[in-house]
Amino acid sequence: MATQIAGQYDTILILDFGSQYTHLIARRIREFGVYSELLACTTKIADLSFKPKGVILSGGPYSVYEAGSPHVDPAVWDLKVPVLGICYGLQEICHTRGGKVENCEKKEFGKAIITVQGESQLFQGLAKEISVWMSHGDQVTKVPEGFTTIASTHTAPFAAVEKAQDRIYGIQFHPEVTHSDLGKELLENFVVKICHAKSSWTMVVGAVSGGVDSTIAAKLMSMAIGDRFHAILVDNGVMRMNECAQSKVLLQEHLGINLTLADASELFLGRLKGVTNPEQKRKIIGNTFIEVFEAEAAKIEKEQEESGKGKIEFLLQGTLYPDVIESISFKGPSATIKTHHNVGGLLEDMKLKVIEPLRELFKDEVRELGSILKIDDELVWRHPFPGPGIAIRVLGEVTPSQVEIARKADYIYIEEIKKAGLYRKISQAYAALLPVKSVGVMGDNRTYEQVIALRAVETTDFMTADWFEMPYALLKKISSRIINEVDGVNRVVYDISSKPPATIEWE
């Protein structure tokens, strides 16, 4: 289907070298009304059924000069269309055309300021100094013959280069992430002004699945097939405070969804006993989820057979694109960051067929859909909650008592953020229980208790994120409440790491 669409519209071909951000390039391009086709970097140009208006080479986790690193099909240059290399894509262009790429002593991860030089069409209409997002350990140290430098940073002399007569461009930074100022405008310059792609493509999306995602999914499915859709809410023992009760009221009473509540908390917590490895936690929770779903489905199926109705064959999940690209290699050699229970943690012999209609959408797109469906704003804008729940916010072994500490601390934290009117300004916030103890003093007595880490980030797509600058007075109040109201905690810290290099969750 995708290649049929590519044949009907002006198309930008994106060749994926495995960057965690590649899909964001396609997402930005669709905002211009231009269609893009995302394929693996190993794609043979001769196999294409269309001629693209331009080609973008994505970033990737490899060193271009090492044996076994992926390389673009040389036939891409025979297309005689504009090419833009991003990060690894820039290095691929320079390395394969006689330039030099080396490991750099001063690596760049996070924000950097580029200084634009000359009058390149790529930077047309943009500022001469731009804050951009860098994520690289290698850099170009010599440009190929015929290329000129069009931007630099204080550590990267060739932050952007071009061979204008051949319409070949390379940039070291990532314009596709929201943390790059004017990144969208730069991509629009390439797609619309350099490639001359027409803005004639529009897209209609549908969606479904978990938390905000699962509720929207369930609502859509209920609208589509009515009571033939059975929503199963599993209490896994690691949910937020009052989560199951509140969700039951929302789904059943407010949205009219056919719901079954399955209490499997003892089963989950029993299987997590003694487990400290985060990947193992995720797989245990993912596998157990499917077992519980299948058991509940079997009960419903038996009831339906007795009443002359059909079998249960499908499992609906709210997998989003960030889950996919952090879990598995998707359309390219991307590195696995962590397994998500609804992506990499599923049973291989699972009986139910999985439906994932949100699989290629981002959180902000799902929220737009929720607003279209007129779902309450408080739910649509609720912060994401991971499938494995508090189990990956309790670092170390997951026990009922540890879950309770993390749950209470998290409840206080979110309650105070809402009171301060900051909840909508923060994309995600939570409290994590660390596997360490610290010395403290309470009531003139020495204590040796646990540590809570508070995390709050700002992001739109959850692929990159900055830590939220929480007011000191509010942090002071939250810390005081947690230490005084949650038994077993005598210290609270605030996480000021961005993504990357950190992830949003600690595990």
Side-chain angles (χ1 to χ4, degrees):
M1 180 177 292
T3 52
Q4 291 177 354
I5 294 175
Q8 297 172 24
Y9 297 92
D10 284 356
T11 299
I12 300 298
L13 172 62
I14 303 169
L15 294 177
D16 180 15
F17 283 89
S19 169
Q20 303 300 325
Y21 314 132
T22 302
H23 205 77
L24 293 182
I25 304 171
R27 188 174 178 283
R28 296 292 168 254
I29 292 172
R30 81 168 69 153
E31 293 174 1
F32 314 143
V34 177
Y35 181 71
S36 61
E37 181 88 1
L38 196 159
L39 300 173
C41 60
T42 52
T43 298
K44 296 297 182 183
I45 298 302
D47 293 337
L48 296 178
S49 59
F50 65 97
K51 182 178 179 179
K53 295 289 288 185
V55 177
I56 296 179
L57 311 181
S58 84
Y62 305 95
S63 291
V64 72
Y65 48 79
E66 290 183 347
S69 295
H71 297 287
V72 70
D73 180 359
V76 72
W77 310 113
D78 297 332
L79 291 170
K80 304 297 183 183
V81 299
V83 176
L84 171 64
I86 296 175
C87 197
Y88 184 95
L90 157 71
Q91 296 165 16
E92 168 74 356
I93 289 171
C94 292
H95 176 74
T96 57
R97 299 175 75 89
K100 193 170 185 179
V101 177
E102 297 178 286
N103 185 262
C104 47
E105 291 183 9
K106 294 184 178 180
K107 297 172 172 50
E108 289 183 308
F109 293 98
K111 287 194 174 182
I113 302 296
I114 63 164
T115 301
V116 177
Q117 304 168 21
E119 299 296 331
S120 172
Q121 196 172 4
L122 191 65
F123 289 101
Q124 186 178 340
L126 307 187
K128 289 298 182 182
E129 288 195 344
I130 307 171
S131 177
V132 298
W133 191 265
M134 293 282 196
S135 183
H136 66 100
D138 295 334
Q139 67 181 28
V140 176
T141 56
K142 177 187 174 185
V143 297
E145 185 177 349
F147 280 75
T148 58
T149 303
I150 54 176
S152 60
T153 72
H154 71 285
T155 60
F158 307 113
V161 302
E162 72 172 10
K163 190 174 184 182
Q165 64 269 35
D166 292 340
R167 297 184 296 171
I168 300 174
Y169 305 84
I171 54 178
Q172 186 60 72
F173 55 93
H174 289 271
E176 68 271 29
V177 303
T178 55
H179 292 75
S180 280
D181 293 348
L182 303 180
K184 180 179 176 181
E185 289 79 359
L186 183 147
L187 286 173
E188 189 170 15
N189 278 347
F190 177 74
V191 170
V192 178
K193 295 179 180 178
I194 295 174
C195 297
H196 303 295
K198 295 177 183 176
S199 301
S200 58
W201 181 71
T202 57
M203 181 180 64
V204 178
V205 296
V208 274
S209 205
V212 174
D213 314 319
S214 64
T215 301
I216 292 174
K219 177 61 177 175
L220 282 175
M221 191 61 75
S222 180
M223 290 167 64
I225 63 174
D227 282 346
R228 287 186 295 154
F229 171 61
H230 296 265
I232 300 173
L233 176 61
V234 177
D235 183 355
N236 58 10
V238 287
M239 305 289 277
R240 287 173 286 201
M241 189 171 288
N242 304 321
E243 180 102 23
C244 289
Q246 291 173 354
S247 296
K248 186 176 180 180
V249 170
L250 172 71
L251 292 167
Q252 261 187 343
E253 298 179 16
H254 292 183
L255 298 180
I257 292 168
N258 188 8
L259 178 71
T260 298
L261 176 61
D263 185 354
S265 53
E266 290 186 8
L267 175 63
F268 278 87
L269 290 171
R271 291 184 176 181
L272 289 169
K273 186 175 181 180
V275 177
T276 59
N277 182 283
E279 279 296 285
Q280 193 176 355
K281 287 182 188 178
R282 289 175 178 274
K283 288 186 181 296
I284 288 171
I285 291 170
N287 290 347
T288 306
F289 254 118
I290 299 304
E291 287 183 20
V292 173
F293 274 126
E294 289 187 336
E296 291 299 320
K299 293 178 187 176
I300 295 170
E301 189 171 62
K302 185 176 180 180
E303 293 173 1
Q304 291 199 155
E305 286 178 352
E306 291 174 354
S307 59
K309 296 179 180 178
K311 292 184 177 182
I312 302 241
E313 298 182 49
F314 300 96
L315 168 63
L316 176 69
Q317 289 200 145
T319 309
L320 301 188
Y321 187 71
D323 301 335
V324 175
I325 58 182
E326 287 189 337
S327 296
I328 57 175
S329 180
F330 184 77
K331 296 183 180 177
S334 56
T336 297
I337 304 301
K338 57 190 177 185
T339 300
H340 289 262
H341 83 281
N342 54 348
V343 181
L346 299 179
L347 291 171
E348 292 183 4
D349 61 347
M350 187 175 67
K351 299 180 183 67
L352 298 175
K353 299 172 187 174
V354 177
I355 299 175
E356 296 175 315
L358 303 183
R359 187 179 175 88
E360 305 224 7
L361 297 183
F362 293 85
K363 179 65 73 175
D364 54 328
E365 293 177 309
V366 174
R367 283 180 167 145
E368 286 181 29
L369 181 62
S371 296
I372 292 170
L373 293 174
K374 301 189 183 305
I375 293 175
D376 188 84
D377 269 3
E378 188 170 344
L379 172 66
V380 169
W381 289 97
R382 191 178 191 188
H383 289 180
F385 187 61
I390 292 173
I392 58 167
R393 293 177 177 176
V394 172
L395 280 67
E397 183 180 6
V398 180
T399 66
S401 60
Q402 293 289 83
V403 169
E404 193 61 20
I405 290 173
R407 180 181 283 142
K408 288 180 178 178
D410 185 78
Y411 183 81
I412 291 169
Y413 184 30
I414 299 302
E415 184 177 57
E416 290 299 332
I417 287 173
K418 288 181 176 179
K419 285 181 182 178
L422 296 176
Y423 189 77
R424 284 282 294 271
K425 296 181 180 180
I426 298 170
S427 304
Q428 187 169 350
Y430 65 90
L433 180 60
L434 305 188
V436 295
K437 288 189 174 183
S438 71
V439 173
V441 57
M442 291 182 176
D444 295 326
N445 292 319
R446 177 186 184 276
T447 62
Y448 190 55
E449 302 289 2
Q450 297 190 93
V451 180
I452 286 289
L454 303 178
R455 180 80 157 134
V457 298
E458 293 179 287
T459 180
T460 56
D461 49 42
F462 290 84
M463 296 305 302
T464 59
D466 272 338
W467 60 278
F468 182 77
E469 296 185 22
M470 195 77 69
Y472 290 161
L474 180 57
L475 282 174
K476 184 176 181 179
K477 184 177 182 181
I478 293 167
S479 175
S480 178
R481 280 198 62 191
I482 289 174
I483 290 172
N484 282 284
E485 297 178 33
V486 182
D487 291 339
V489 175
N490 70 356
R491 192 178 299 268
V492 174
V493 298
Y494 189 62
D495 183 349
I496 57 169
S497 308
S498 64
K499 175 186 180 180
T503 54
I504 294 176
E505 296 288 345
W506 276 54
E507 286 193 343

